[in-house]
Amino acid sequence: QNWTRGMSYCLHSESHLDTGPIYVRENGKLHMVNQGAGGIQNVSPKTRPFRLFSRGFSVELCMNREDDRARRQRTDHFIFTYTKEGNLRYSAKSLFSLVLGYISDNVDHIDSLIGFPEQIAEKLFSAAEARQKFTEPVTGLRALQKFTEAYGNLVLCSLCLRNRYLLISEKLEEIKSFRELTCLDLSCCKLGDEHELLEHLTKEALSSVKRLLLKDNSLSDVGLRRMTAPVRVLKKGLENLLVLDLSCNPKITDVGIGYLLSFKKLNCLDISGTGLKDVNAVIKRIQMQIGLVHSKVPLKEFDHSNCKTEGWAEQTVLQWEQAVMEARKPQDDLRSRTAALRFYGKTHRIEEVVKCKLVEAETKASGNLQFYKEKVQNCHLPLKKEVVGSHELRNSKKRALAEQEKERTSKQKHLCLTVEDWDLLNTY
């Protein structure tokens, strides 16, 4: 009884506040306190609708781009799928994929990747490539350099830029960032002797090139002298070159062929369509000093379809080419459609064989000037004959070495120590 009086007093003292219904549990039953009479009744009253805001209240929701980006990133943390019944289900992405996506979005801020595992680096490169981070003008070059410095030929081991002179002019710095290439095709690009990319061929970053195709590039003896100067004097540069294609360069003469004799490791050479004056003398000279034999049949090593772009950055090069084509806006709709299909991976790129009209006319006049190195066949002779002829073989080897030393000294006097060569070496 005292409790009910205290409750009624409390209610009367704060009657100006609309506190709503008050319920009290007594003897295991729930009762509502009657504020007017000050007692407790067991009848459930009519509940008033509860309003959080008044009827005249209004609110306006404004979102900026930062909030929209944050919300989009939050939804990217889930994978939405449909079941067979048509129900929508979602599952959270793994922590590795979330971190991979975050780093790929900020790949240009990476300090270094040297010593980082190759397997994870390849996934990181693919994630950044899917976001087209390497197509951005400044940040893309900086990010690409981090990968090429750390992984070299894994990023790109073979690069085909055949008939893509626009791509070379637009993405020259990106192309120069590739390291440890083994195959480089620059055919039909009309680079000339003064192009920056030809100068880059003599750098240490491309000393690993074994196959170089420079068909139809308007090269002359001056360009060959500059390209071979580090090899002839410093024994650096393209010293590991095995296959060289210089066909369809009519400005190359007998003097320019003399610079090529410094490539001692050459296995195949193509000088068809060059401006040679004494072809027979050049053939004998190449055979005597390099050991290459003139081939009467076209060699498969100079089939341009064998050189393709291979490595992590294969799709990146295609993205560059697509961007150049979009900027060019070609009139041929069919060509742009096929390029778009190739870009999205719906069709495989088919490398067409390069056909130069100029080389066809020149080869008819000078013939096929392709050279190859014969493989030494091992003769299985009896043991006694080998012992008897060992002294003769040793003497012949000594004579051959002495002749080679004489030739090298004579070449160094006539070729390696000219004033023009020293001027070139000072530029490197």
Side-chain angles (χ1 to χ4, degrees), residues 263-321:
F263 294 135
K264 300 299 182 180
K265 296 183 180 181
L266 268 183
N267 291 332
C268 297
L269 175 64
D270 189 0
I271 54 175
S272 304
T274 54
L276 301 180
K277 297 179 180 179
D278 193 351
V279 178
N280 295 327
V282 171
I283 292 175
K284 292 180 180 180
R285 191 178 181 185
I286 292 174
Q287 185 173 359
M288 292 296 295
Q289 298 186 12
I290 307 182
L292 299 182
V293 182
H294 181 221
S295 177
K296 298 179 180 180
V297 182
L299 300 176
K300 63 180 181 179
E301 283 78 8
F302 297 104
D303 186 4
H304 290 258
S305 61
N306 295 330
C307 182
K308 299 179 181 179
T309 302
E310 296 178 354
W312 295 353
E314 180 180 355
Q315 295 296 325
T316 302
V317 177
L318 293 179
Q319 290 177 1
W320 294 345
E321 185 178 1

Side-chain angles (χ1 to χ4, degrees), residues 61 72 74 120 224 230 255 285 322 361 366 401 405:
L61 182 62
R72 184 173 63 253
R74 286 196 298 270
I120 302 178
L224 293 184
V255 179
R285 191 178 181 185
Q322 178 67 17
S366 61
L401 291 174
E405 289 178 357

Side-chain angles (χ1 to χ4, degrees), residues 64-225:
N64 53 15
R65 293 183 179 179
E66 295 180 357
D67 295 337
D68 187 19
R69 182 180 179 183
R71 175 171 293 185
R72 184 173 63 253
Q73 291 178 354
R74 286 196 298 270
T75 56
D76 289 342
H77 294 175
F78 301 96
I79 302 175
F80 296 92
T81 57
Y82 285 94
T83 61
K84 295 181 179 180
E85 293 79 9
N87 299 326
L88 181 64
R89 290 184 179 180
Y90 66 92
S91 58
K93 291 184 179 180
S94 63
L95 180 61
F96 176 78
S97 61
L98 295 178
V99 174
L100 191 68
Y102 178 78
I103 298 176
S104 60
D105 287 332
N106 303 276
V107 68
D108 56 304
H109 296 289
I110 296 177
D111 293 333
S112 177
L113 288 170
I114 298 176
F116 198 69
E118 299 175 358
Q119 296 81 0
I120 302 178
E122 184 178 2
K123 295 181 179 180
L124 179 60
F125 189 93
S126 300
E129 188 180 53
R131 290 166 170 80
Q132 297 187 1
K133 288 293 181 179
F134 302 114
T135 58
E136 299 176 359
V138 180
T139 59
L141 175 60
R142 185 164 58 249
L144 185 62
Q145 289 175 347
K146 300 300 179 183
F147 281 94
T148 55
E149 289 173 358
Y151 305 103
N153 60 351
L154 293 178
V155 179
L156 212 62
C157 62
S158 178
L159 179 58
C160 179
L161 298 174
R162 181 169 62 251
N163 200 18
R164 292 175 176 86
Y165 52 91
L166 290 177
L167 179 60
I168 294 175
S169 61
E170 293 292 333
K171 297 293 180 179
L172 180 60
E173 295 299 327
E174 285 81 354
I175 294 171
K176 289 171 60 178
S177 65
F178 293 119
R179 296 169 175 261
E180 300 180 8
L181 291 174
T182 57
C183 182
L184 180 60
D185 190 354
L186 298 173
S187 303
C188 302
C189 290
K190 305 291 184 180
L191 299 180
D193 298 328
E194 303 291 336
H195 200 275
E196 188 177 352
L197 186 57
L198 292 179
E199 182 182 355
H200 182 66
L201 291 176
T202 60
K203 304 296 182 182
E204 294 183 0
L206 294 182
S207 60
S208 60
V209 174
K210 296 181 179 180
R211 185 177 183 183
L212 181 60
L213 306 179
L214 296 173
K215 179 179 181 179
D216 190 16
N217 270 284
S218 303
L219 296 176
S220 65
D221 298 338
V222 178
L224 293 184
R225 180 170 58 84

